[in-house]
Amino acid sequence: MPFILNRQALAVISCSLSAAATAQSASPVSKLDQIVVTASRSAQLQKEVLGDVSVISKDQLQKSGQDSVAEILSRQPGVQFYSNGGPQTTTGVFLRGTNPNQSLVLVDGIRINSSTQGGANWAAIDPNTIERIEIVRGAASSLYGSDAIGGVVNIITKKPDGDRPLAAWGSVGYGSYDTFKSSAGISGAQDGWDYALSSSMADSSGFNATNPDNIYSYHPDRDGYRQHSLSGSLGYTWKRGHHVGLTAYNGYMNGDYDAGEYTSPAYGITRQQAYTLTSTDDITDYWQSILRFGLSKEYVENRAYDSHYSSLQRSYTWQNNIQLTDSQRISTVLERLEERPAHSSSSYSVNRRDTNSAGLVYRGDFSAHHLQASVRNDNISGYGNQATGGLAYDYDLNERWSIGVAGNTGFRAPTFSDLYSPYAPNPDLQPEKSRNLEFNLRYVTDTTRLGLVAYQNKIRDLITLDPNRNWAAYNIDTATIRGVTLTGEHDFGDTSLRASADFMNPRDDASGKQLRWRARQVYRASVDHRFDAVTVGAEYQFTGKRYDDAGNQISLGGYGLLGLTAGYDFSKAVGVQVRWNNILGKDYTNAYGYNMPGSNVFVNVSFRM
């Protein structure tokens, strides 16, 4: 798929460069100084986190061009993804080699995993309304309950930046496949009030989702999409240490796909919503109480086959953070989750499920010793109790070196489609369960960060669909995923180098075969350099051979992708960013019969005031 820079794109670039006469670039925040909340359910500096955690920053998201959230995630260690022909199609994210429905996805702390299908609706999440993404690798059910076998991805939407009356920002960009994207927002904080509102839209003609290898779905056309999203927050500090806040996210995708020669046009609609109402109150200097109500809704419609499904989830949380001493704290968690699914073809025989949970998280720091322990019990209607636990210990060998070990358990409750499918229900399914062990070694200075993580995640009672039984779901498989991840970063003044290598053996224990769509090796490297107002960078990623079937008969070849980025700050208010992906025009796929983008460029102009 060669890249052609047409006259429209050249016109946009020329206009952008001439019109942007006033521009900006925010000073980057040190990675280790970032606040992380997902790893322990309470705020802490990233350098103090126990476990394998990383953060995708606002600056990284701004440089992503027209890439989807799944593509952005795949540039992080331990993350791979697949899509069926573009950001608007079915997409799955593999966290440390686990299935897409075995990782918990949150928006502002509220779960959005589908109650009917299990995974997240990635197509409805737009990077332009995201402030940052926190990734916690390794089983985390003792913190968050079901689905967190491979880890947790917490998508945090844009919030007020500092205590000032009003700030506004926006961006507009154009690129390959006639892709146009724009976004705008405001935020501020004054007199106890804080507020933020962000919106975005995108329109793309896309590329052909399928190739002739896909004999059932192939159709020679371009498969585009229309996307928009809206997020906002409103809060009020009515007394020092007492804050009430509301957040909202609404994402929408209308995207084309291929369903064969005689089913055209074929398109689907995906909507994802997440809302929270939170009261955070410092009862004393040592006791913080957090009450939260969360509501998430999904709606997925297939217009080619006139079908749809949806689900609604309500969650109620009461968390108490108690500082026992200067070096010890605990968090108690009481939660209730109410799931209500629906399907167009027929009602499920059971259309509600309630989960009542209680958990405890302990963190202690004793000189060179650091400990985090967590336990949780989830009582699920129809299943009874699912107990999980986690224990992590780090030891500081000296000021630069540290070593750590961790063990935790996880589970995933079957979806309503697994249990109560109108076509082949199996209400006797058992939850998937896992045991994860890991070891880490770290070296950290002001300019250098090195890391090694070795892990094993053993998963039993895997749920698979049996084609010989009308595609009914059954607990028949076990899997073992072993891996080692190496990471390194170094700053040479205005130059930053980053690299990582993933070595993984994702294996089906019964057959000994490699798990579908997962590579055993992934290498990543990037470099960025700043010349006054100009920033340039290069990225390279190699993904090894994968298979598209359980028997390892359909091979997907390995591939390497080279990309370039550049930015120029005209002033402190306006800047331009350019991203060129797959500059060598590599023809590759991460799902058999489906295409991936060829060489593509995106130019974006951003402003802030």
Short mmCIF file of all heavy atoms in Angstrom, two decimals, residues 495-549:
data_model
loop_
_atom_site.label_atom_id
_atom_site.label_comp_id
_atom_site.label_asym_id
_atom_site.label_seq_id
_atom_site.Cartn_x
_atom_site.Cartn_y
_atom_site.Cartn_z
N THR A 495 18.55 14.69 23.93
CA THR A 495 18.30 13.44 23.21
C THR A 495 17.86 12.36 24.18
O THR A 495 18.46 12.19 25.25
CB THR A 495 19.57 12.97 22.46
OG1 THR A 495 20.01 14.00 21.57
CG2 THR A 495 19.29 11.71 21.66
N SER A 496 16.82 11.62 23.80
CA SER A 496 16.31 10.53 24.64
C SER A 496 16.27 9.26 23.82
O SER A 496 15.79 9.25 22.67
CB SER A 496 14.90 10.84 25.15
OG SER A 496 14.90 11.97 25.99
N LEU A 497 16.79 8.18 24.40
CA LEU A 497 16.78 6.86 23.78
C LEU A 497 15.91 5.93 24.61
O LEU A 497 15.99 5.94 25.84
CB LEU A 497 18.19 6.28 23.67
CG LEU A 497 19.20 7.02 22.80
CD1 LEU A 497 20.56 6.35 22.91
CD2 LEU A 497 18.73 7.02 21.35
N ARG A 498 15.10 5.11 23.94
CA ARG A 498 14.27 4.12 24.63
C ARG A 498 14.30 2.82 23.83
O ARG A 498 14.29 2.85 22.59
CB ARG A 498 12.82 4.60 24.77
CG ARG A 498 12.65 5.79 25.69
CD ARG A 498 11.24 6.33 25.65
NE ARG A 498 10.88 6.81 24.33
CZ ARG A 498 11.21 8.00 23.84
NH1 ARG A 498 11.93 8.83 24.57
NH2 ARG A 498 10.85 8.35 22.64
N ALA A 499 14.30 1.70 24.54
CA ALA A 499 14.27 0.40 23.86
C ALA A 499 13.65 -0.64 24.79
O ALA A 499 13.69 -0.50 26.02
CB ALA A 499 15.68 -0.03 23.46
N SER A 500 13.04 -1.66 24.20
CA SER A 500 12.50 -2.76 24.98
C SER A 500 12.51 -4.02 24.13
O SER A 500 12.53 -3.96 22.89
CB SER A 500 11.07 -2.47 25.45
OG SER A 500 10.17 -2.45 24.37
N ALA A 501 12.51 -5.15 24.80
CA ALA A 501 12.46 -6.45 24.12
C ALA A 501 11.57 -7.38 24.94
O ALA A 501 11.76 -7.52 26.15
CB ALA A 501 13.86 -7.04 23.98
N ASP A 502 10.59 -7.97 24.27
CA ASP A 502 9.70 -8.95 24.89
C ASP A 502 10.01 -10.33 24.34
O ASP A 502 10.01 -10.53 23.11
CB ASP A 502 8.24 -8.62 24.58
CG ASP A 502 7.73 -7.42 25.35
OD1 ASP A 502 7.98 -7.36 26.57
OD2 ASP A 502 7.08 -6.55 24.74
N PHE A 503 10.28 -11.28 25.24
CA PHE A 503 10.46 -12.67 24.87
C PHE A 503 9.39 -13.46 25.62
O PHE A 503 9.37 -13.48 26.85
CB PHE A 503 11.85 -13.17 25.25
CG PHE A 503 12.97 -12.34 24.67
CD1 PHE A 503 13.54 -11.32 25.43
CD2 PHE A 503 13.42 -12.55 23.39
CE1 PHE A 503 14.57 -10.54 24.91
CE2 PHE A 503 14.45 -11.78 22.85
CZ PHE A 503 15.02 -10.77 23.61
N MET A 504 8.51 -14.11 24.88
CA MET A 504 7.34 -14.71 25.50
C MET A 504 7.05 -16.07 24.88
O MET A 504 7.25 -16.28 23.68
CB MET A 504 6.13 -13.78 25.35
CG MET A 504 4.87 -14.26 26.01
SD MET A 504 3.54 -13.01 25.93
CE MET A 504 3.33 -12.84 24.16
N ASN A 505 6.57 -16.99 25.71
CA ASN A 505 6.11 -18.29 25.24
C ASN A 505 4.65 -18.46 25.67
O ASN A 505 4.36 -18.98 26.74
CB ASN A 505 6.97 -19.41 25.82
CG ASN A 505 6.55 -20.78 25.30
OD1 ASN A 505 5.83 -20.88 24.31
ND2 ASN A 505 6.99 -21.83 25.97
N PRO A 506 3.70 -18.00 24.83
CA PRO A 506 2.28 -18.14 25.15
C PRO A 506 1.77 -19.49 24.63
O PRO A 506 1.54 -19.66 23.44
CB PRO A 506 1.64 -16.97 24.41
CG PRO A 506 2.55 -16.74 23.23
CD PRO A 506 3.92 -17.24 23.60
N ARG A 507 1.56 -20.46 25.50
CA ARG A 507 1.37 -21.84 25.08
C ARG A 507 0.05 -22.42 25.58
O ARG A 507 -0.33 -22.23 26.75
CB ARG A 507 2.52 -22.70 25.61
CG ARG A 507 2.54 -24.14 25.11
CD ARG A 507 3.57 -24.93 25.85
NE ARG A 507 3.23 -25.04 27.28
CZ ARG A 507 4.04 -25.56 28.20
NH1 ARG A 507 5.25 -25.95 27.87
NH2 ARG A 507 3.63 -25.66 29.45
N ASP A 508 -0.65 -23.14 24.69
CA ASP A 508 -1.78 -23.97 25.08
C ASP A 508 -1.22 -25.26 25.68
O ASP A 508 -0.51 -26.01 25.01
CB ASP A 508 -2.65 -24.26 23.86
CG ASP A 508 -3.88 -25.08 24.20
OD1 ASP A 508 -3.71 -26.23 24.65
OD2 ASP A 508 -4.99 -24.58 24.01
N ASP A 509 -1.52 -25.53 26.95
CA ASP A 509 -0.89 -26.66 27.62
C ASP A 509 -1.30 -28.01 27.03
O ASP A 509 -0.49 -28.95 27.02
CB ASP A 509 -1.24 -26.64 29.12
CG ASP A 509 -0.56 -25.50 29.84
OD1 ASP A 509 0.45 -24.98 29.32
OD2 ASP A 509 -1.02 -25.11 30.93
N ALA A 510 -2.52 -28.13 26.55
CA ALA A 510 -2.98 -29.42 26.03
C ALA A 510 -2.28 -29.78 24.72
O ALA A 510 -1.85 -30.93 24.53
CB ALA A 510 -4.50 -29.39 25.83
N SER A 511 -2.16 -28.82 23.82
CA SER A 511 -1.57 -29.10 22.50
C SER A 511 -0.11 -28.72 22.39
O SER A 511 0.59 -29.18 21.49
CB SER A 511 -2.36 -28.34 21.43
OG SER A 511 -2.22 -26.94 21.59
N GLY A 512 0.36 -27.86 23.30
CA GLY A 512 1.72 -27.35 23.20
C GLY A 512 1.90 -26.30 22.13
O GLY A 512 3.02 -25.86 21.87
N LYS A 513 0.80 -25.85 21.52
CA LYS A 513 0.87 -24.88 20.43
C LYS A 513 0.91 -23.45 20.95
O LYS A 513 0.50 -23.16 22.07
CB LYS A 513 -0.34 -25.04 19.50
CG LYS A 513 -0.48 -26.43 18.89
CD LYS A 513 0.67 -26.75 17.95
CE LYS A 513 0.42 -28.08 17.25
NZ LYS A 513 1.53 -28.44 16.31
N GLN A 514 1.42 -22.56 20.10
CA GLN A 514 1.48 -21.15 20.42
C GLN A 514 0.08 -20.55 20.34
O GLN A 514 -0.68 -20.84 19.42
CB GLN A 514 2.42 -20.45 19.42
CG GLN A 514 2.70 -18.99 19.69
CD GLN A 514 3.78 -18.47 18.74
OE1 GLN A 514 4.71 -19.20 18.38
NE2 GLN A 514 3.66 -17.22 18.34
N LEU A 515 -0.28 -19.72 21.33
CA LEU A 515 -1.61 -19.12 21.35
C LEU A 515 -1.79 -18.18 20.15
O LEU A 515 -0.86 -17.50 19.71
CB LEU A 515 -1.82 -18.35 22.65
CG LEU A 515 -1.86 -19.21 23.93
CD1 LEU A 515 -2.01 -18.31 25.16
CD2 LEU A 515 -2.98 -20.24 23.89
N ARG A 516 -3.01 -18.11 19.67
CA ARG A 516 -3.35 -17.39 18.45
C ARG A 516 -3.03 -15.91 18.54
O ARG A 516 -3.32 -15.26 19.55
CB ARG A 516 -4.85 -17.58 18.17
CG ARG A 516 -5.33 -17.04 16.85
CD ARG A 516 -6.83 -17.21 16.74
NE ARG A 516 -7.33 -16.84 15.42
CZ ARG A 516 -8.62 -16.68 15.13
NH1 ARG A 516 -9.53 -16.84 16.06
NH2 ARG A 516 -8.99 -16.34 13.90
N TRP A 517 -2.43 -15.38 17.48
CA TRP A 517 -2.19 -13.95 17.24
C TRP A 517 -1.10 -13.36 18.14
O TRP A 517 -0.88 -12.16 18.12
CB TRP A 517 -3.47 -13.13 17.43
CG TRP A 517 -4.49 -13.34 16.36
CD1 TRP A 517 -4.27 -13.67 15.06
CD2 TRP A 517 -5.91 -13.23 16.50
NE1 TRP A 517 -5.46 -13.76 14.39
CE2 TRP A 517 -6.48 -13.50 15.24
CE3 TRP A 517 -6.75 -12.93 17.56
CZ2 TRP A 517 -7.85 -13.48 15.01
CZ3 TRP A 517 -8.12 -12.89 17.34
CH2 TRP A 517 -8.66 -13.18 16.09
N ARG A 518 -0.40 -14.16 18.91
CA ARG A 518 0.62 -13.62 19.81
C ARG A 518 2.01 -14.00 19.35
O ARG A 518 2.28 -15.17 19.06
CB ARG A 518 0.37 -14.10 21.25
CG ARG A 518 -0.64 -13.25 21.97
CD ARG A 518 -1.49 -14.02 22.94
NE ARG A 518 -2.60 -14.69 22.27
CZ ARG A 518 -3.67 -15.18 22.90
NH1 ARG A 518 -3.76 -15.05 24.20
NH2 ARG A 518 -4.62 -15.78 22.23
N ALA A 519 2.90 -13.01 19.29
CA ALA A 519 4.28 -13.24 18.86
C ALA A 519 5.15 -13.61 20.04
O ALA A 519 4.93 -13.14 21.16
CB ALA A 519 4.82 -11.99 18.17
N ARG A 520 6.16 -14.40 19.79
CA ARG A 520 7.10 -14.78 20.85
C ARG A 520 8.17 -13.72 21.08
O ARG A 520 8.76 -13.68 22.16
CB ARG A 520 7.76 -16.12 20.50
CG ARG A 520 6.78 -17.29 20.48
CD ARG A 520 7.42 -18.53 19.86
NE ARG A 520 8.54 -19.00 20.64
CZ ARG A 520 8.48 -20.00 21.53
NH1 ARG A 520 7.33 -20.61 21.76
NH2 ARG A 520 9.56 -20.40 22.18
N GLN A 521 8.42 -12.88 20.08
CA GLN A 521 9.40 -11.81 20.25
C GLN A 521 8.84 -10.50 19.69
O GLN A 521 8.27 -10.48 18.60
CB GLN A 521 10.73 -12.10 19.53
CG GLN A 521 11.45 -13.35 19.99
CD GLN A 521 11.08 -14.55 19.16
OE1 GLN A 521 10.67 -14.42 18.03
NE2 GLN A 521 11.23 -15.74 19.73
N VAL A 522 9.04 -9.43 20.45
CA VAL A 522 8.73 -8.09 19.98
C VAL A 522 9.86 -7.17 20.45
O VAL A 522 10.20 -7.16 21.64
CB VAL A 522 7.38 -7.57 20.51
CG1 VAL A 522 7.13 -6.15 19.99
CG2 VAL A 522 6.24 -8.49 20.12
N TYR A 523 10.43 -6.40 19.52
CA TYR A 523 11.50 -5.46 19.84
C TYR A 523 11.04 -4.05 19.49
O TYR A 523 10.43 -3.83 18.44
CB TYR A 523 12.77 -5.80 19.05
CG TYR A 523 13.23 -7.23 19.18
CD1 TYR A 523 12.92 -8.17 18.20
CD2 TYR A 523 13.95 -7.65 20.30
CE1 TYR A 523 13.33 -9.49 18.31
CE2 TYR A 523 14.37 -8.96 20.42
CZ TYR A 523 14.05 -9.88 19.42
OH TYR A 523 14.44 -11.19 19.55
N ARG A 524 11.36 -3.10 20.36
CA ARG A 524 10.98 -1.72 20.12
C ARG A 524 12.19 -0.82 20.43
O ARG A 524 12.91 -1.07 21.40
CB ARG A 524 9.81 -1.30 21.01
CG ARG A 524 8.56 -2.16 20.85
CD ARG A 524 7.52 -1.80 21.89
NE ARG A 524 6.32 -2.62 21.80
CZ ARG A 524 6.16 -3.79 22.40
NH1 ARG A 524 7.15 -4.29 23.14
NH2 ARG A 524 5.04 -4.47 22.26
N ALA A 525 12.36 0.22 19.63
CA ALA A 525 13.42 1.20 19.88
C ALA A 525 12.97 2.55 19.35
O ALA A 525 12.28 2.63 18.32
CB ALA A 525 14.73 0.78 19.21
N SER A 526 13.33 3.61 20.05
CA SER A 526 12.98 4.95 19.59
C SER A 526 14.02 5.95 20.08
O SER A 526 14.72 5.72 21.08
CB SER A 526 11.59 5.35 20.09
OG SER A 526 11.56 5.46 21.50
N VAL A 527 14.10 7.07 19.37
CA VAL A 527 14.99 8.15 19.73
C VAL A 527 14.29 9.47 19.45
O VAL A 527 13.58 9.60 18.45
CB VAL A 527 16.34 8.07 18.96
CG1 VAL A 527 16.11 8.08 17.45
CG2 VAL A 527 17.29 9.17 19.39
N ASP A 528 14.46 10.44 20.35
CA ASP A 528 13.91 11.79 20.17
C ASP A 528 15.02 12.79 20.43
O ASP A 528 15.84 12.60 21.34
CB ASP A 528 12.75 12.05 21.14
CG ASP A 528 11.53 11.23 20.82
OD1 ASP A 528 10.99 11.38 19.72
OD2 ASP A 528 11.13 10.41 21.68
N HIS A 529 15.02 13.85 19.65
CA HIS A 529 16.01 14.92 19.87
C HIS A 529 15.34 16.27 19.65
O HIS A 529 14.49 16.43 18.77
CB HIS A 529 17.20 14.79 18.90
CG HIS A 529 18.26 15.82 19.15
ND1 HIS A 529 19.16 15.74 20.20
CD2 HIS A 529 18.54 16.98 18.50
CE1 HIS A 529 19.95 16.78 20.17
NE2 HIS A 529 19.61 17.55 19.15
N ARG A 530 15.73 17.23 20.48
CA ARG A 530 15.14 18.57 20.39
C ARG A 530 16.22 19.58 19.99
O ARG A 530 17.29 19.64 20.59
CB ARG A 530 14.52 18.97 21.73
CG ARG A 530 13.75 20.28 21.65
CD ARG A 530 12.94 20.54 22.90
NE ARG A 530 12.07 21.70 22.72
CZ ARG A 530 10.86 21.66 22.22
NH1 ARG A 530 10.36 20.50 21.84
NH2 ARG A 530 10.14 22.75 22.07
N PHE A 531 15.91 20.37 18.95
CA PHE A 531 16.75 21.49 18.52
C PHE A 531 15.95 22.76 18.76
O PHE A 531 15.14 23.15 17.92
CB PHE A 531 17.09 21.41 17.03
CG PHE A 531 17.70 20.12 16.58
CD1 PHE A 531 16.91 19.06 16.16
CD2 PHE A 531 19.07 19.96 16.56
CE1 PHE A 531 17.46 17.89 15.72
CE2 PHE A 531 19.64 18.77 16.12
CZ PHE A 531 18.83 17.73 15.71
N ASP A 532 16.11 23.37 19.91
CA ASP A 532 15.35 24.58 20.22
C ASP A 532 13.85 24.33 20.05
O ASP A 532 13.26 23.59 20.80
CB ASP A 532 15.82 25.76 19.37
CG ASP A 532 17.27 26.13 19.69
OD1 ASP A 532 17.64 26.04 20.86
OD2 ASP A 532 18.00 26.49 18.75
N ALA A 533 13.24 24.92 19.00
CA ALA A 533 11.79 24.77 18.81
C ALA A 533 11.42 23.55 17.98
O ALA A 533 10.24 23.29 17.77
CB ALA A 533 11.23 26.03 18.14
N VAL A 534 12.41 22.79 17.52
CA VAL A 534 12.15 21.64 16.64
C VAL A 534 12.42 20.35 17.41
O VAL A 534 13.44 20.22 18.10
CB VAL A 534 13.04 21.69 15.38
CG1 VAL A 534 12.81 20.46 14.51
CG2 VAL A 534 12.75 22.96 14.59
N THR A 535 11.51 19.38 17.28
CA THR A 535 11.69 18.05 17.85
C THR A 535 11.57 17.02 16.73
O THR A 535 10.63 17.08 15.93
CB THR A 535 10.62 17.76 18.92
OG1 THR A 535 10.67 18.75 19.93
CG2 THR A 535 10.87 16.40 19.56
N VAL A 536 12.52 16.11 16.67
CA VAL A 536 12.47 15.03 15.68
C VAL A 536 12.63 13.70 16.40
O VAL A 536 13.25 13.62 17.46
CB VAL A 536 13.56 15.20 14.60
CG1 VAL A 536 13.32 16.46 13.78
CG2 VAL A 536 14.95 15.22 15.22
N GLY A 537 12.07 12.66 15.81
CA GLY A 537 12.17 11.35 16.43
C GLY A 537 12.01 10.24 15.41
O GLY A 537 11.51 10.44 14.30
N ALA A 538 12.46 9.06 15.81
CA ALA A 538 12.33 7.87 14.97
C ALA A 538 11.94 6.69 15.87
O ALA A 538 12.39 6.61 17.02
CB ALA A 538 13.63 7.57 14.23
N GLU A 539 11.12 5.79 15.34
CA GLU A 539 10.66 4.62 16.08
C GLU A 539 10.78 3.39 15.19
O GLU A 539 10.51 3.46 13.99
CB GLU A 539 9.20 4.77 16.52
CG GLU A 539 8.92 5.98 17.39
CD GLU A 539 7.44 6.17 17.64
OE1 GLU A 539 6.63 5.44 17.02
OE2 GLU A 539 7.08 7.03 18.45
N TYR A 540 11.16 2.27 15.81
CA TYR A 540 11.20 1.01 15.07
C TYR A 540 10.60 -0.08 15.95
O TYR A 540 10.86 -0.12 17.16
CB TYR A 540 12.63 0.63 14.69
CG TYR A 540 12.70 -0.71 13.97
CD1 TYR A 540 12.34 -0.80 12.62
CD2 TYR A 540 13.10 -1.87 14.62
CE1 TYR A 540 12.38 -2.01 11.96
CE2 TYR A 540 13.16 -3.09 13.96
CZ TYR A 540 12.79 -3.16 12.62
OH TYR A 540 12.83 -4.36 11.96
N GLN A 541 9.78 -0.91 15.34
CA GLN A 541 9.18 -2.03 16.08
C GLN A 541 9.20 -3.27 15.20
O GLN A 541 8.75 -3.24 14.05
CB GLN A 541 7.75 -1.71 16.50
CG GLN A 541 7.06 -2.85 17.25
CD GLN A 541 5.73 -2.44 17.84
OE1 GLN A 541 5.56 -1.30 18.27
NE2 GLN A 541 4.77 -3.35 17.86
N PHE A 542 9.73 -4.37 15.75
CA PHE A 542 9.71 -5.66 15.06
C PHE A 542 8.85 -6.63 15.84
O PHE A 542 9.03 -6.80 17.06
CB PHE A 542 11.12 -6.24 14.91
CG PHE A 542 11.10 -7.64 14.32
CD1 PHE A 542 10.98 -7.81 12.95
CD2 PHE A 542 11.16 -8.76 15.14
CE1 PHE A 542 10.93 -9.09 12.41
CE2 PHE A 542 11.13 -10.04 14.60
CZ PHE A 542 11.01 -10.21 13.23
N THR A 543 7.90 -7.24 15.15
CA THR A 543 7.01 -8.23 15.74
C THR A 543 7.24 -9.56 15.05
O THR A 543 7.22 -9.64 13.81
CB THR A 543 5.53 -7.82 15.59
OG1 THR A 543 5.34 -6.55 16.22
CG2 THR A 543 4.61 -8.85 16.22
N GLY A 544 7.48 -10.61 15.84
CA GLY A 544 7.83 -11.91 15.27
C GLY A 544 6.63 -12.66 14.70
O GLY A 544 5.49 -12.18 14.69
N LYS A 545 6.90 -13.86 14.24
CA LYS A 545 5.87 -14.70 13.61
C LYS A 545 4.77 -15.04 14.59
O LYS A 545 5.00 -15.27 15.77
CB LYS A 545 6.53 -15.98 13.08
CG LYS A 545 5.57 -16.91 12.36
CD LYS A 545 6.31 -18.08 11.73
CE LYS A 545 6.81 -19.06 12.80
NZ LYS A 545 7.38 -20.28 12.20
N ARG A 546 3.54 -15.08 14.06
CA ARG A 546 2.38 -15.47 14.86
C ARG A 546 1.56 -16.48 14.06
O ARG A 546 1.86 -16.75 12.91
CB ARG A 546 1.50 -14.24 15.16
CG ARG A 546 2.14 -13.20 16.06
CD ARG A 546 1.94 -11.79 15.54
NE ARG A 546 2.60 -11.59 14.27
CZ ARG A 546 2.00 -11.14 13.17
NH1 ARG A 546 0.72 -10.82 13.20
NH2 ARG A 546 2.67 -11.00 12.04
N TYR A 547 0.53 -17.01 14.70
CA TYR A 547 -0.37 -17.94 14.04
C TYR A 547 -1.81 -17.46 14.19
O TYR A 547 -2.17 -16.85 15.18
CB TYR A 547 -0.24 -19.35 14.62
CG TYR A 547 1.12 -19.96 14.39
CD1 TYR A 547 2.10 -19.92 15.37
CD2 TYR A 547 1.43 -20.57 13.17
CE1 TYR A 547 3.35 -20.47 15.16
CE2 TYR A 547 2.68 -21.12 12.95
CZ TYR A 547 3.64 -21.06 13.94
OH TYR A 547 4.88 -21.60 13.73
N ASP A 548 -2.63 -17.79 13.16
CA ASP A 548 -4.01 -17.34 13.17
C ASP A 548 -4.99 -18.48 13.48
O ASP A 548 -6.19 -18.35 13.29
CB ASP A 548 -4.38 -16.72 11.82
CG ASP A 548 -5.62 -15.85 11.90
OD1 ASP A 548 -5.50 -14.66 12.23
OD2 ASP A 548 -6.72 -16.38 11.67
N ASP A 549 -4.48 -19.58 13.99
CA ASP A 549 -5.36 -20.69 14.36
C ASP A 549 -4.73 -21.45 15.51
O ASP A 549 -3.54 -21.36 15.78
CB ASP A 549 -5.59 -21.62 13.17
CG ASP A 549 -4.31 -22.30 12.72
OD1 ASP A 549 -3.24 -21.65 12.76
OD2 ASP A 549 -4.36 -23.49 12.36
#
